[in-house]
Structure formats: C-alpha cells, structure tokens
Amino acid sequence: MDRTSVIFGNPIDAKTVKKAEKSKAKFLKKFGDDTNKTYHLGLEPIDQIEEIGIRNLVLSDKPLELPKDPLIVGNIRMGFGHYRIAMAIASCAQALGRTPVWMDLASFDATGSKMIRSQNDLYSLGSKLSQKIGLFNKLVWEPMNSEGFRKITYNAADQKNSELLAPLYADLPKDVPYVGTHVWPSQGAVHAGLTHVVNAIPDNWPMGLHLAEGSIHAVQTPFAYLGYKKMNGFAKTALKPMPDDALVRVGHYIDHELVENIEHDCAKRIERLETGAPVRFLMTVGGAGAGGDLYLAMTKHLLPYVKAKKAELWINFGDHLTMWDVFKKNMPELESQCRTFFNDYKGLHDWAQTLDGASEGGVTVFCHSDIFEAVYSTNLLMRKCDVLVTKPSELAFYPVPKLMMRHIGGHEVYGAIYARELGDSTFECETASALCDMIDTLISDKAILKALCTRITELKGTGVYNGGYEVVKLAIRGK
C-alpha cells in the first residue's frame, strides 16, 4: 500500500513524492533489489543480559519457529537510545509473560538493512560534527533536528525507503505483537502487512519523521500527544489530525526491574544522604562521546570531592574505549585512582549487587565492546547511583535523579524542559561552569536530592513510568 502520497488523509505534493521515489531507487541501485527474495529467520539467545530473556532474530536457512507468546521488538542501533528503549520494552514484555524477540533491522545482510546502516552513518557523522563545529551545529544540525525532521514531507521519503524493509518480515505471522522503537522498523512492519504494530515514539518533540501510518503511535507525554494529534508544525498550513485509534499516551518507557524497585532505590538514596555517605555520580559518556569536553570538565571538578570522600564517580564509556584514552591523556592522575571493568560484565554485575551497602568510594570506569553489555551497564548502576549525569535523550525519562547536560540536537530540548517540570531532574546545564556549579549544589545541599527522590516515588504512584507495560499491552491487543 502506498503510504507516501497521502499521510493520515493529507496529500503530499508531487515533487516530494517524486523525490521519495528517487531516494528508494538510489538505494536499490546501490544495494540491489531483493524485493522478491524470501528471508528466513532463526532464533539465538542473547546471553549477555539474562535478566530480560531476549531471543535474537538472525538469518536462517529454515522458516522461523517462534516461541510461545512472543513479542517482537523491532529496533535499530542509532547511538544507544533506541537500543535502550527496546531493552525497556523487552523487559516489560517478559514481566507480562511474553517472550521478547529482538529484531535489529540493521543487522541483516539485506537491501533494507544496508539502507539503514548508510543512513545511520550519515546521522552519526552529523552528530559528531555538531559537537566539533559550532557553526555547523547552529546552521545545519540544530535546525534539521528540530524543524527539518518535523515536516510531514520528510516522512514521505522515509515511508518510501522503508518499503525496502518488507522482505525481512516474511517469516513473521501477520498478527504477532510487534513494537518498533524506531520509526523505520515500525514502517517496515506495516509495509509487510503486520496488524499489531506499536510505534514507540522517543523524545518529547513531535516530528513528522516519527509517523508510521498503520501502526498505533505511543507517546510518553501530554505535550507529545497534543503535538502529534494536531501534527503541529508539520506543514505550513493546518493538517488533518491523527485519528483517535492511531495515537495513545502511555507514559515513560522504563524497564520493569527499574520500575519495580523505585521505592527501594529511592529509600537507599535518602538513607545515604542522611548518613553523610559520598554522593554517587553516574556519567553516561556512551559510544560516541558526545559532549566529551563537558564530561572531562565535570570529572576534573569531581576529583577533589572524591578524594575528600564527599563524592563517588562511575563512568560508562559505552563501547568506545578510545574515550577512556582521551580521559587519561587529559587527566594522567586518573588511571591510578580507578577501579576498572573493561569487557568484564560479570564483574561489573557482581560489583553492582553489593552497592546497596557501603561502597569503597573512588572512581569506577567501565567499557564493553558488546553493545548489549555497554547499554545495560548503565541500567545496572542507575539503580545504585544518586545522580545520573546525562544529556536529555531517552534517559531524560528514567526514574532516577538527573543532572541534565546540554542537549545534542534540537529535538532533545523538550525532553529537558519536560523532566525539570515533572520534578525528577535538574534544569538543563549547558556549560561546564553551570554543570560544575550544579555538582557543588547537589553535594552541599542534600535537600535537593532528597526532594528529587521523593518526587520520583510520588510519580510512580501516578503510573507515569508504566509506558513500557502499556506499549506491550497495546501490541497484544492491536487496533
């Protein structure tokens, strides 16, 4: 079915449609036409994160045999964010009695997968350039991420390109519950004829980019709900709104094990504050090292506090050990002070289990070449930290006190605004000076962290962190 020429009853101009068709043709020419090819899939365990029991879809010579009561989590790796949301959905699926099945659309040797990888490479390059070249960030990256991706015409091109993904779904039953944690897997599933597709939209800035007509669109906030319902700003003139059955506000996409333990974890944080224990800071430097200069500045600022046993610092370098080399070069004294877990996920896991009690203090750094371990390491330590230092990406929605860094891309701005208004985060601190000042405040004024913890516990009672469960229920039920 053509979903490029008309989107939710809104006709797309002929010039945009022609451009979309050319885009698809370009990828077919570059990567080959596999439209009529039948891809069979098989299942492999993902042993790295046994906590959530995920099975991974891989190419196979035989038709797929799904486990009982499956839920497919369609995703791509674009940074860590979409993987993290996918892990949250998988965790909630398991908690609700479903077997989560991982489908990374970028991982296959197929035309659609190659298209995704090429697009992701461009996005990653743009993100890195935006951090190094201020003029590029101001004139290109920020406008594209806030306004360029917002237009409904951008969705038209993506819809046409995502037709290339349909062959990968041949083995899936049409009525299998399916959650896409990026719009391309959601669009691909719809093009393949799946009927129980939920499109789990990230961020808090409504954009035409994220539309996958034919799916149920899940959003995390009231602001996102109204923006998508009206398709506000998606075109120069008012558009027909999204139908009622196409859009649902569900709450935040959070892993079951994090939601289940909110009261316990916040009580432990308050206990540490009241007994004068060092304040535990967890930094999510991640794979790309976005905001690297800010992380360096904060680490240098925290080291005297660590030495004085007023703070403890944990740093996740994701899957890029090169960032650790940057830190060592800028702070030669750091390495001798560190506890390290490099490609030692079991060691990190076991150490994390001890942290409800007193810790040994100091600085702990960890990095894992395996993507699942790199992402989930933050989950392990998130429960045990007092402050999560992060940019306002997907982690802006997590139930932990957050020190919010400068956004990367204009679409993240409204995540920071939402979190500070919700009351489980600081406001966005855009400079090294502002971040270090906030660190001083969080260490010296324990009432602030205590208030953040109390607020998180209150919010749990409202169901705001239950979005992962609600998405799974939507997929099982379908439209």
Side-chain angles (χ1 to χ4, degrees):
M1 179 178 179
D2 174 36
R3 298 190 181 278
T4 299
S5 301
V6 180
I7 300 174
F8 287 117
N10 296 284
I12 303 300
D13 65 280
K15 183 179 178 180
T16 296
V17 173
K18 186 175 181 180
K19 184 178 178 182
E21 290 170 346
K22 285 184 176 180
S23 178
K24 178 183 177 182
K26 178 189 71 174
F27 288 121
L28 285 170
K29 182 178 180 180
K30 185 174 182 180
F31 299 125
D33 189 348
D34 62 355
T35 304
N36 297 317
K37 184 172 181 177
T38 299
Y39 289 102
H40 291 308
L41 302 174
L43 288 168
E44 290 183 349
I46 299 177
D47 296 327
Q48 298 93 321
I49 44 174
E50 297 177 353
E51 292 93 335
I52 48 183
I54 309 177
R55 309 284 297 280
N56 189 33
L57 286 175
V58 296
L59 291 180
S60 172
D61 296 329
K62 301 176 182 178
L64 175 65
E65 293 184 17
L66 283 170
K68 183 181 177 182
D69 295 329
L71 181 128
I72 313 297
V73 185
N75 60 82
I76 64 170
R77 176 181 177 177
M78 181 174 280
F80 281 4
H82 298 281
Y83 254 42
R84 185 176 303 286
I85 295 172
M87 289 180 181
I89 301 303
S91 171
C92 292
Q94 185 195 49
L96 293 175
R98 289 276 164 167
T99 300
V101 177
W102 192 266
M103 187 179 190
D104 180 348
L105 271 292
S107 68
F108 302 105
D109 185 21
T111 296
S113 301
K114 294 171 184 175
M115 179 270 294
I116 288 176
R117 292 196 292 270
S118 67
Q119 296 281 79
N120 190 31
D121 287 345
L122 285 174
Y123 187 87
S124 296
L125 176 61
S127 180
K128 291 175 182 177
L129 287 175
S130 74
Q131 297 306 295
K132 296 177 180 178
I133 306 172
L135 198 60
F136 174 82
N137 185 60
K138 181 179 179 180
L139 298 180
V140 179
W141 195 246
E142 285 273 358
M144 183 172 71
N145 274 276
S146 57
E147 294 299 331
F149 293 157
R150 191 180 183 193
K151 304 307 179 187
I152 196 170
T153 50
Y154 194 94
N155 183 253
D158 270 359
Q159 282 282 15
K160 183 56 65 175
N161 288 334
S162 66
E163 291 174 4
L164 300 173
L165 298 169
L168 288 166
Y169 295 82
D171 269 1
L172 297 183
K174 300 303 183 187
D175 61 350
V176 68
Y178 182 99
V179 177
T181 60
H182 184 283
V183 69
W184 293 336
S186 299
Q187 290 170 348
V190 172
H191 284 301
L194 272 63
T195 59
H196 285 56
V197 181
V198 176
N199 177 28
I201 295 175
D203 300 320
N204 191 36
W205 177 239
M207 295 190 289
L209 163 73
H210 291 304
L211 297 177
E213 186 174 3
S215 70
I216 301 171
H217 296 68
V219 295
Q220 300 182 84
T221 74
F223 179 80
Y225 178 85
L226 181 58
Y228 279 103
K229 182 67 174 172
K230 286 283 293 176
M231 293 201 279
N232 182 48
F234 290 12
K236 291 181 180 179
T237 57
L239 297 170
K240 293 180 181 179
M242 290 180 67
D244 291 346
D245 64 352
L247 181 66
V248 181
R249 178 170 68 89
V250 296
H252 303 185
Y253 315 132
I254 308 296
D255 311 67
H256 167 70
E257 55 272 24
L258 293 174
V259 177
E260 184 182 41
N261 289 290
I262 283 176
E263 292 91 348
H264 170 85
D265 295 340
C266 283
K268 285 294 181 181
R269 291 182 184 113
I270 292 173
E271 180 183 309
R272 287 192 293 271
L273 290 169
E274 292 178 342
T275 58
V279 179
R280 299 172 173 179
F281 289 84
L282 170 60
M283 291 186 182
T284 56
V285 176
D293 290 344
L294 297 179
Y295 283 115
L296 281 168
M298 286 187 287
T299 299
K300 289 178 180 178
H301 189 74
L302 273 165
L303 287 181
Y305 283 117
V306 172
K307 187 175 181 179
K309 299 188 184 305
K310 293 184 178 181
E312 186 172 351
L313 177 58
W314 307 334
I315 308 175
N316 185 5
F317 286 107
D319 60 356
H320 280 201
L321 198 57
T322 52
M323 279 304 298
W324 171 233
D325 294 332
V326 172
F327 269 60
K328 288 189 294 183
K329 181 179 178 180
N330 283 271
M331 291 174 283
E333 75 280 11
L334 182 62
E335 187 171 12
S336 63
Q337 303 178 34
C338 283
R339 178 186 302 104
T340 62
F341 295 97
F342 295 148
N343 288 320
D344 181 14
Y345 183 76
K346 184 180 185 305
L348 180 70
H349 180 280
D350 293 346
W351 178 69
Q353 304 314 304
T354 70
L355 293 174
D356 269 354
S359 63
E360 298 173 13
V363 179
T364 302
V365 300
F366 42 103
C367 180
H368 296 85
S369 57
D370 179 86
I371 179 63
F372 294 101
E373 294 174 351
V375 175
Y376 205 77
S377 293
T378 294
N379 285 41
L380 294 179
L381 275 300
M382 200 186 309
R383 288 191 53 203
K384 311 299 180 179
C385 75
D386 298 316
V387 182
L388 174 65
V389 184
T390 181
K391 65 187 182 72
S393 56
E394 76 292 338
L395 284 170
F397 300 90
Y398 273 65
V400 57
K402 294 172 288 287
L403 168 51
M404 206 69 80
M405 296 173 59
R406 182 181 66 211
H407 64 274
I408 309 295
H411 61 294
E412 291 183 349
V413 172
Y414 285 84
I417 294 171
Y418 171 74
R420 80 186 189 200
E421 294 297 329
L422 196 65
D424 62 359
S425 170
T426 72
F427 47 81
E428 185 178 359
C429 299
E430 298 189 10
T431 65
S433 176
L435 286 162
C436 292
D437 177 70
M438 185 60 75
I439 286 171
D440 293 341
T441 301
L442 293 172
I443 291 174
S444 63
D445 189 347
K446 304 296 176 65
I448 296 174
L449 279 178
K450 190 172 182 179
L452 291 173
C453 290
T454 301
R455 179 59 176 157
I456 289 167
T457 304
E458 292 172 351
L459 288 169
K460 181 186 178 182
T462 70
V464 74
Y465 300 121
N466 288 348
Y469 307 113
E470 296 305 314
V471 162
V472 172
K473 293 174 186 176
L474 282 173
I476 293 170
R477 186 164 66 246
K479 279 193 176 183

